[in-house]
């Protein structure tokens, strides 16, 4: 039975970009709970969390951990999270995102058969179905790359192997960013290049991909607020909820770049790098957040300008 007042929480991916923010938020929202974080790095420390070392693709290790912790809530964030990396590392992407998700699902079905699972998928699953009209959860997924395929299959695996008593929330976040995100991702890549140019570490030239693509960005804090809100609501949710996490508003990537250039200490030239163009780039990726708003009291709180300012500041701080 779920201990709904002080649930025991197990999180995967808690050492990652989103997971670190979520760890901090859950400390407040579930102050009296036991909180355990699964990481491949046994040394990883997050205040208020126990760390358990395991690779999510290791069925035995994950099974032992879930049997020992007996979580009431599982937050599954661990993934190969980069679309760009997935193109070159398809096997590893499928292994982590599908086999890893299967190992979590198998362990939960066996050892925590009444637990709630919040699994982080991606708005990327809509793929070629995306258009200028914001995608609702009713839009047919149509993955276009190994990342989005692995996320969609991961969703299906959990739907199939969890027990009828497990509650499953599949979150489909669209683009999100903030301080601490790796520069493999577009906005930190712009910010890092601008700061390096400001410091004279590189020519005042910014290498960019497709600036015309429209993307629906949230600040990571708003994404995490949605995850926490869904968890708090979870005892009242049906067995399966699939929900978009998005602003509902897509802006061209060039808009974020121009906001960042306004805040830069020097002029930078733009160099369009064809290697950064994705073979099957989606012209407009925008989600409909009506379902999320109908479930929890949530709306985005951090503007695009504040987001890019934070990214520039974080990279300036990084370089001291
Ligand atoms: O490197 P680790 O062990 O601290 O953890 C990374 C974890 N991870 C794994 N954990 C256990 N076993 C694995 N085989 C494994 N592979 C990866 O996933 C890391 O903490 C986390 C990914 O962090 P980031 O790359 O920073 O991703 P982000 O942006 O926080 O994405 C979170 C979720 C993912 O499911 C994305 O696909 C979705 O949000 O957008």
């Amino acid at each position: 039975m779920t201990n709904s007042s002080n649930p025991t929480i197990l999180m995967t991916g808690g050492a990652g970009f989103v997971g670190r923010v979520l760890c901090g938020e859950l400390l407040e929202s579930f102050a009296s709970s036991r909180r355990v974080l699964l990481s491949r790095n046994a040394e990883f420390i997050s205040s208020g969390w126990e760390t358990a070392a395991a690779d999510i693709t290791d069925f035995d290790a994950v099974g032992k951990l879930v049997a020992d912790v007996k979580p009431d809530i599982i937050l599954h964030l661990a993934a190969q999270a980069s679309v760009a990396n997935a193109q070159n590392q398809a096997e590893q992407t499928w292994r982590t995102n599908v086999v890893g998700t299967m190992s979590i699902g198998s362990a939960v079905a066996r050892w925590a058969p009444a637990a709630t699972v919040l699994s982080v998928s991606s708005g990327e699953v809509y793929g070629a179905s995306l258009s200028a009209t914001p995608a609702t959860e009713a839009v047919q997924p149509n993955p276009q790359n190994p990342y989005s395929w692995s996320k969609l299959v991961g969703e299906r695996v959990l739907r199939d192997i969890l027990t009828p008593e497990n509650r499953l929330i599949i979150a489909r976040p669209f683009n999100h960013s903030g301080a601490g995100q790796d520069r493999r991702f577009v906005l930190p890549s712009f910010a890092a290049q601008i700061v390096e140019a400001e410091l004279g570490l590189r020519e005042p030239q910014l290498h960019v991909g497709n600036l015309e693509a429209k993307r629906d960005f949230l600040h990571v804090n708003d994404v995490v607020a949605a995850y926490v809100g869904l968890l708090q609501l979870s005892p009242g949710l049906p067995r399966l909820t699939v929900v978009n996490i998005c602003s509902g508003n897509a802006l061209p990537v060039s808009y974020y770049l121009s906001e960042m250039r306004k805040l830069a200490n020097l002029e930078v030239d733009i160099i369009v790098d064809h290697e950064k163009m994705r073979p099957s780039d989606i012209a407009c990726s925008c989600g409909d957040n009506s379902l999320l708003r109908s479930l929890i009291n949530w709306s985005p709180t951090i503007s695009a300008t504040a987001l890019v300012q934070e990214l520039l500041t974080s990279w300036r701080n990084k370089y001291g």
Side-chain angles (χ1 to χ4, degrees):
M1 278 295 287
T2 298
N3 175 355
S4 56
S5 52
N6 292 315
T8 297
I9 302 176
L10 176 65
M11 187 191 312
T12 72
F17 161 58
V18 180
R20 285 171 193 245
V21 182
L22 188 51
C23 279
E25 283 303 310
L26 291 173
L27 218 47
E28 290 186 18
S29 314
F30 293 92
S32 305
S33 289
R34 180 181 180 202
R35 295 169 298 265
V36 182
L37 182 159
L38 178 160
S39 172
R40 283 172 299 184
N41 174 9
E43 310 301 316
F44 181 77
I45 293 172
S46 181
S47 169
W49 288 76
E50 300 167 38
T51 301
D55 189 305
I56 54 165
T57 61
D58 181 339
F59 280 67
D60 287 344
V62 171
K64 280 197 191 97
L65 179 62
V66 175
D68 170 46
V69 174
K70 294 243 177 342
D72 300 301
I73 292 175
I74 296 91
L75 286 149
H76 178 41
L77 279 79
Q80 193 299 99
S82 156
V83 177
N85 286 13
Q87 307 279 3
N88 313 322
Q89 299 165 21
E91 195 269 352
Q92 190 245 321
T93 300
W94 278 83
R95 187 182 295 276
T96 306
N97 297 2
V98 176
V99 178
T101 298
M102 184 163 176
S103 114
I104 298 289
S106 307
V108 170
R110 178 153 185 210
W111 299 109
T116 293
V117 179
L118 189 155
S119 184
V120 177
S121 177
S122 173
E124 283 273 339
V125 299
Y126 297 113
S129 296
L130 290 164
S131 67
T133 307
T136 68
E137 294 80 1
V139 165
Q140 184 66 36
N142 194 347
Q144 293 293 287
N145 55 57
Y147 173 77
S148 48
W149 267 116
S150 69
K151 283 292 182 177
L152 185 62
V153 174
E155 289 185 8
R156 189 70 238 179
V157 164
L158 290 179
R159 289 176 67 159
D160 284 352
I161 70 178
L162 291 179
T163 73
E165 286 73 40
N166 282 131
R167 187 175 285 110
L168 174 61
I169 305 167
I170 293 175
R172 290 179 175 165
F174 283 62
N175 293 70
H176 44 287
S177 190
Q181 192 179 33
D182 193 280
R183 66 189 293 169
R184 290 172 300 174
F185 295 87
V186 60
L187 300 187
S189 158
F190 293 169
Q193 291 182 71
I194 287 175
V195 169
E196 286 162 2
E198 286 176 348
L199 295 171
L201 299 173
R202 63 188 298 142
E203 296 292 309
Q205 291 175 339
L206 208 73
H207 290 261
V208 300
N210 180 3
L211 292 179
E212 302 319 311
K214 289 187 172 170
R215 294 290 178 262
D216 179 338
F217 268 99
L218 283 175
H219 189 280
V220 64
N221 291 4
D222 286 327
V223 172
V224 161
Y227 295 162
V228 174
L230 288 166
L231 273 189
Q232 285 169 329
L233 177 74
S234 61
L237 288 174
R239 197 242 154 195
L240 172 67
T241 304
V242 179
V243 58
N244 292 339
I245 316 288
C246 54
S247 76
N249 184 27
L251 295 167
V253 173
S254 59
Y255 174 81
Y256 292 91
L257 179 56
S258 68
E259 289 299 287
M260 236 185 255
R261 288 171 89 190
K262 283 186 214 161
L263 297 165
N265 298 337
L266 84 172
E267 293 281 323
V268 284
D269 294 330
I270 304 300
I271 313 272
V272 177
D273 194 339
H274 291 281
E275 281 183 10
K276 288 183 186 275
M277 301 277 192
R278 287 199 218 149
S280 57
D281 213 355
I282 308 289
C284 180
S285 168
C286 187
D288 183 309
N289 60 21
S290 309
L291 175 61
L292 178 65
R293 284 170 181 265
S294 74
L295 292 172
I296 58 171
N297 180 16
W298 176 92
S299 57
T301 60
I302 301 174
S303 69
T305 308
L307 169 60
V308 299
Q309 174 75 72
E310 177 182 301
L311 285 166
L312 283 173
T313 303
S314 71
W315 281 93
R316 286 176 185 138
N317 291 341
K318 204 168 185 151
Y319 278 110

